[in-house]
Amino acid sequence: MVVRAYNEELAYLEKKSPYKWEIKKGFQPNMRVEGVFYVNKFLEKLMLEELQNACRPGMIGGFLPGVKQIANVAALPGIVHKSIGLPDVHSGYGFAIGNMAAFDMDDPQSIVSPGGVGFDINCGVRLLRTNLFEKDVQPIKEQLAQSMFDHIPVGVGSKGIIPMNANDLEEALEMGMDWSLREGYAWAEDKEHCEENGRMLNADSSKVSMRARKRGLPQLGTLGAGNHYAEIQVVDEVYDKWAAKKMGIENVGQVCVMIHSGSRGFGHQVATDALLEMEKAMARDKIEVNDRQLACARINSNEGQNYLKAMSAAANFAWVNRSSMTFLARQAFAKQFKLTPDDLDMHVIYDVSHNIAKMEQHYIDGKPKHLLVHRKGSTRAFPPYHPLIPVDYQLTGQPVLIGGTMGTCSYVLTGTEQGMNETFGSTCHGAGRALSRAKSRRNIDYNDVLEKLQKQGIAIRVASPKLVMEEAPESYKNVTDVVDTCHEAGISKKTVKLRPIAVIKG
Amino acid sequence: MSINKVKALGYPLAAVFDANDQKSFRMLILWLEENILHTYVPEKRTELQNVDSPSWDTAFKNYCVSCSSPIKSTEAMDQLEWLLGVAIRLTYNKQKNKFDSETKKTLEVSTDVPMIIPSDNPIDNLDVNSSDFKEGIEKLADLLNISKHPDHKITLEAIHKFIIKRLNEEAIKNPSSILPKGEAFPLEKVKGHTIESKDSAVLHAMKVLRLAQLHRLRDLQTCINECIVAMQEVTSDPKTDTKLGKVGY
């Protein structure tokens, strides 16, 4: 890393509009394209402070500041257009979380990097609607939260209640949501309203290590820990009436269920395995990167292909996982209300992936290009009429589900044409951390956090309360700032705001 | 019946040929052998020539074997059918060029002039361009509240679609099953996207086309979902076992 004084660093950053900054070439060595990041004035302060802190003499260790990470990604072979930081960007392993980048598939030098996908492969958010209203749920929300907690196993080391053997897992890895459909855990309409239709076709379970399978098998159908949650939410505000109607959201007060989860230990192991393999490939193919956390391999190399196939299997795992939890959530509701999930109209509004790499076609300088798009902590947000979004959302654009942090609100956005042109049809994914986990543990008391939630009238069920402060709203950026920035910058459009009334957490 | 084949081969007695008449049948076989098949040398044909003899049937059986007929059936008619086929093939191969060019000519003529088959169905004999017919369609369109196209046949197509979809037995019994639910998406909210035109009529038309296309896509997706559901009837067996569950720390 180049060591410069903060003022000198600032010379490389230019504010292009109230919501958009550009990182010029030269900020980090060998930048092939410019970097860009979207922030409003509050988030801007956080970004620059982080950089300023890193510029102080003697600051070594930990992750690089987000701006530096975006610039390092801009130096990777085969990158096109720009290295893009979304408003919730914060430091992560190699790539910043909230950093997206696309690599030209036709360039033999282009790379794929597990750091650009993240450890929790195909972590994502799913939103179910119901035909219930807040007044129906408030009186029994404690029972409902308990019922959800009883159905969906949570926490580190939790195990699922859907019986599966090794053979089932093998099939699920290849089939994704089609497995859930075949076995009857999902509805046909769920598949229709899921990104990629809930199945990556290039998945190859033979590229997945034994260790990953062993970790994955008992964890299917579990929520996990960390920032994952299942929430019962109510519609708090509707910004775009017609788009909301298309999603089946009719009015303020309507009850929804949000599930935020990923591929659990399975995806983590796939990423870990790939990182080891790629270090060797980098030495062999003489791939030079600015940060050794940016381990990568050429897309067409064996290592690159193996990773993509295993990653797809992990993505399928995550979809089966979310489908299983959808099934369990539907059961929990059905039991409480003594109605079938059908009667409760518990349809999936949409299911997004915010940690994934996908092959997509985009226009660069007016020419169609095949790209490998890495989205880490970034959600796909395709505009109206895009052929890859469900027919129900052709007029509105793809729904984008932004999960807030525990106790704060969540949003539904829609994709825009401008986002397609500027950010490869990508937008933010959530609040984004402001404090590291360790810092949160030191600074916040978990009793305060739980008490505060209670005061807000939110029913909460947690498996490990002592870890709750890591996920306290104070540890995160303000999700409203993040979403507003995306809206103002035009890369996605606000549609609905949701507020939690019950939280189930690891 | 093989009468067309017999005629095509130019059998002089085709007009009076009767397959069920023993003598007529035997005469045809003899004619086929003498004029086309030539399986026997002329000297060996005596038994076949003797069409009134009681031993003719045996002679015919032997003859079929000599022709290496693959027909296992003991029915004389089946054998005749096969022999006629062989005879036609031989005749065709002898004058292949002539037949091919004739066929070509016939085909060209027949594609130019559509073959008209007189029909008993009154609808087939309708003059769809008569003013009576046009007037009828217009009246029907008014009645069903369908806007008219300058080409009355297109209006008719629209009426047809409407009746099939909205006025079928099921729909009349249970009208709510086909009425679209929810509020309609206003046309002015439909974004143009890549449509570039300043003419509001063109824009409007493009939007309508888009909506029509979406409607078709929706129907297709519904079909797909129905297929999945039909498959689930067979395969689905969701189970849960709470004993397996474990909450983490």
Side-chain angles (χ1 to χ4, degrees):
Chain A
M1 185 179 145
V2 194
V3 181
R4 275 187 293 250
Y6 178 60
N7 280 343
E8 289 165 13
E9 296 280 29
L10 281 185
Y12 290 94
L13 305 178
E14 189 189 341
K15 193 169 183 171
K16 286 279 192 187
S17 80
Y19 300 99
K20 189 165 148 188
W21 285 66
E22 191 174 82
I23 308 169
K24 290 185 194 153
K25 287 185 191 170
F27 184 62
Q28 285 292 81
N30 307 318
M31 280 173 71
R32 289 162 209 255
V33 294
E34 271 98 26
V36 63
F37 59 94
Y38 293 85
V39 283
N40 66 6
K41 58 179 196 265
F42 301 108
L43 301 170
E44 170 187 312
K45 223 177 110 214
L46 283 171
M47 277 298 261
L48 297 178
E49 257 173 24
E50 190 186 37
L51 177 65
Q52 195 171 13
N53 286 338
C55 287
R56 281 198 312 242
M59 280 303 288
I60 319 164
F63 290 137
L64 294 173
V67 213
K68 286 279 176 192
Q69 289 192 319
I70 296 171
N72 281 338
V73 168
L76 289 173
I79 187 167
V80 288
H81 187 50
K82 272 167 189 155
S83 169
I84 298 161
L86 283 320
D88 48 344
V89 73
H90 59 106
S91 309
Y93 184 90
F95 279 59
I97 296 156
N99 187 183
M100 67 86 40
F103 299 84
D104 187 354
M105 298 277 293
D106 298 323
D107 178 351
Q109 307 289 320
S110 288
I111 55 96
V112 51
S113 170
V117 171
F119 283 94
D120 192 0
I121 295 167
N122 192 6
C123 179
V125 181
R126 172 177 287 207
L127 187 65
L128 311 179
R129 65 167 189 245
T130 69
N131 54 13
L132 300 165
F133 277 81
E134 194 176 356
K135 61 174 177 8
D136 307 319
V137 174
Q138 273 299 355
I140 56 159
K141 76 174 174 201
E142 289 295 337
Q143 294 94 307
L144 202 53
Q146 188 59 43
S147 175
M148 292 262 284
F149 190 74
D150 292 340
H151 278 76
I152 304 178
V154 295
V156 183
S158 54
K159 288 183 178 175
I161 64 168
I162 291 176
M164 283 191 94
N165 58 34
N167 193 35
D168 293 327
L169 179 71
E170 204 70 13
E171 289 179 341
L173 294 181
E174 300 268 349
M175 293 173 72
M177 243 173 102
D178 287 341
W179 184 86
S180 306
L181 276 174
R182 192 187 70 186
E183 301 299 316
Y185 295 106
W187 298 352
E189 293 83 358
D190 297 357
K191 178 178 166 71
E192 186 191 333
H193 285 175
C194 185
E195 207 170 301
E196 266 338 272
N197 288 317
R199 177 179 191 171
M200 294 284 267
L201 293 170
N202 62 336
D204 182 349
S205 64
S206 69
K207 306 293 179 201
V208 173
S209 69
M210 203 31 120
R211 194 145 179 226
R213 284 168 220 238
K214 273 203 180 135
R215 282 180 74 176
L217 182 57
Q219 294 181 336
L220 251 180
T222 65
L223 190 70
N227 58 352
H228 296 152
Y229 59 76
E231 278 185 352
I232 302 170
Q233 306 177 333
V234 294
V235 175
D236 196 43
E237 209 173 336
V238 175
Y239 307 98
D240 181 343
K241 180 182 153 198
W242 295 107
K245 273 188 190 299
K246 281 272 167 205
M247 299 174 196
I249 292 177
E250 295 291 333
N251 248 319
V252 170
Q254 193 171 335
V255 173
C256 294
V257 178
M258 185 177 270
I259 297 169
H260 176 201
S261 183
S263 51
R264 308 281 286 105
F266 184 87
H268 197 282
Q269 192 59 46
V270 165
T272 312
D273 293 340
L275 283 173
L276 284 175
E277 227 183 274
M278 285 189 180
E279 265 179 33
K280 286 175 221 150
M282 283 175 82
R284 182 194 61 210
D285 294 339
K286 302 192 176 53
I287 305 173
E288 286 186 20
V289 293
N290 289 344
D291 177 358
R292 63 180 294 267
Q293 289 186 352
L294 288 169
C296 56
R298 297 209 171 117
I299 297 174
N300 295 322
S301 67
N302 264 338
E303 292 81 2
Q305 286 299 312
N306 286 350
Y307 171 66
L308 282 173
K309 288 170 185 167
M311 179 207 74
S312 298
N316 287 343
F317 182 99
W319 278 313
V320 172
N321 196 26
R322 287 200 285 277
S323 298
S324 300
M325 281 187 281
T326 305
F327 173 77
L328 299 170
R330 281 174 178 153
Q331 284 209 326
F333 266 71
K335 257 186 213 167
Q336 279 301 318
F337 289 94
K338 302 197 172 51
L339 286 167
T340 67
D342 249 325
D343 294 331
L344 292 166
D345 193 37
M346 292 186 76
H347 278 283
V348 170
I349 289 179
Y350 205 63
D351 178 306
V352 298
S353 318
H354 53 226
N355 276 5
I356 204 158
K358 279 201 263 195
M359 281 155 238
E360 288 173 6
Q361 202 176 35
H362 288 271
Y363 282 87
I364 306 261
D365 303 325
K367 288 192 201 89
K369 284 250 179 209
H370 281 288
L371 305 176
L372 183 65
V373 181
H374 289 63
R375 291 195 183 90
K376 180 188 195 179
S378 161
T379 317
R380 193 186 79 177
F382 278 168
Y385 307 123
H386 194 285
L388 293 183
I389 64 177
V391 54
D392 293 345
Y393 302 127
Q394 283 285 317
L395 294 176
T396 61
Q398 179 210 311
V400 181
L401 312 174
I402 307 299
T405 41
M406 190 171 59
T408 65
C409 46
S410 297
Y411 287 88
V412 183
L413 316 178
T414 46
T416 64
E417 197 55 36
Q418 194 185 341
M420 201 62 186
N421 297 331
E422 282 188 27
T423 59
F424 300 103
S426 313
T427 191
C428 62
H429 87 299
R433 267 191 178 278
L435 295 182
S436 73
R437 288 179 192 279
K439 234 184 206 168
S440 313
R441 278 199 299 271
R442 281 197 301 272
N443 297 356
I444 309 166
D445 182 5
Y446 73 90
N447 285 319
D448 294 346
V449 179
L450 293 179
E451 219 166 274
K452 203 172 154 198
L453 288 172
Q454 219 153 29
K455 269 191 202 142
Q456 285 174 283
I458 300 172
I460 179 156
R461 295 289 180 283
V462 215
S464 41
K466 291 191 177 163
L467 292 177
V468 147
M469 58 277 196
E470 285 183 10
E471 303 303 324
E474 291 82 358
S475 312
Y476 282 87
K477 295 176 181 172
N478 183 346
V479 67
T480 304
D481 272 335
V482 168
V483 164
D484 283 347
T485 307
C486 291
H487 181 83
E488 294 299 336
I491 55 174
S492 48
K493 194 165 166 268
K494 284 204 286 187
T495 303
V496 172
K497 182 183 179 189
L498 301 148
R499 114 185 105 75
I501 55 170
V503 186
I504 287 92
K505 242 183 129 54
Chain B
M1 211 344 244
S2 37
I3 193 70
N4 280 337
K5 289 185 190 169
V6 179
K7 275 185 194 159
L9 288 166
Y11 180 48
L13 300 176
V16 293
F17 173 69
D18 175 7
N20 295 321
D21 178 56
Q22 197 184 55
K23 188 158 180 189
S24 187
F25 179 86
R26 291 179 181 183
M27 297 277 279
L28 175 64
I29 298 293
L30 181 64
W31 182 82
L32 282 175
E33 165 57 17
E34 285 183 335
N35 294 284
I36 303 169
L37 300 174
H38 308 300
T39 310
Y40 286 166
V41 287
E43 300 79 67
K44 276 192 78 179
R45 289 180 191 146
T46 353
E47 277 190 45
L48 283 179
Q49 280 160 346
N50 206 351
V51 289
D52 294 322
S53 150
S55 64
W56 193 90
D57 283 336
T58 332
F60 179 60
K61 239 179 234 167
N62 294 335
Y63 175 69
C64 289
V65 174
S66 308
C67 290
S68 25
S69 161
I71 306 296
K72 296 275 170 351
S73 153
T74 50
E75 280 289 310
M77 282 309 289
D78 294 339
Q79 295 290 2
L80 173 63
E81 199 74 48
W82 184 77
L83 286 171
L84 284 170
V86 176
I88 282 177
R89 198 171 67 231
L90 286 173
T91 316
Y92 171 76
N93 281 342
K94 238 185 240 169
Q95 292 173 290
K96 191 168 186 299
N97 288 343
K98 184 188 150 208
F99 284 126
D100 280 356
S101 59
E102 287 290 321
T103 318
K104 208 174 152 199
K105 262 188 243 160
T106 326
L107 272 180
E108 273 165 7
V109 173
S110 68
T111 45
D112 282 353
V113 183
M115 207 168 19
I116 295 166
I117 305 164
S119 155
D120 305 335
N121 188 341
I123 291 177
D124 290 342
N125 295 327
L126 264 181
D127 178 6
V128 291
N129 290 316
S130 73
S131 53
D132 252 9
F133 187 74
K134 283 184 196 168
E135 214 176 288
I137 288 180
E138 286 192 8
K139 271 188 198 155
L140 201 52
D142 284 336
L143 200 66
L144 296 172
N145 206 8
I146 287 171
S147 49
K148 285 167 228 160
H149 190 272
D151 183 348
H152 66 286
K153 279 181 244 159
I154 293 179
T155 317
L156 180 61
E157 257 180 68
I159 292 174
H160 167 251
K161 273 191 183 164
F162 182 83
I163 292 177
I164 294 285
K165 214 172 158 205
R166 292 291 184 90
L167 299 179
N168 62 37
E169 223 173 290
E170 200 124 301
I172 290 172
K173 248 189 252 165
N174 184 12
S176 65
S177 70
I178 44 126
L179 288 179
K181 290 175 192 80
E183 233 170 308
F185 199 94
L187 196 59
E188 60 268 25
K189 293 272 174 192
V190 177
K191 281 178 219 110
H193 183 37
T194 46
I195 303 167
E196 277 166 27
S197 173
K198 290 204 175 82
D199 188 337
S200 65
V202 173
L203 272 177
H204 200 81
M206 298 283 253
K207 284 179 178 180
V208 172
L209 282 178
R210 273 209 190 282
L211 289 179
Q213 166 68 358
L214 287 185
H215 195 75
R216 284 169 49 189
L217 282 178
R218 182 61 257 175
D219 285 347
L220 176 66
Q221 184 68 57
T222 307
C223 271
I224 295 170
N225 290 353
E226 282 166 1
C227 286
I228 294 175
V229 172
M231 176 214 72
Q232 281 183 314
E233 297 277 326
V234 183
T235 60
S236 113
D237 180 23
K239 286 187 280 268
T240 50
D241 182 356
T242 39
K243 278 191 283 247
L244 294 173
K246 188 181 151 201
V247 172
Y249 56 84

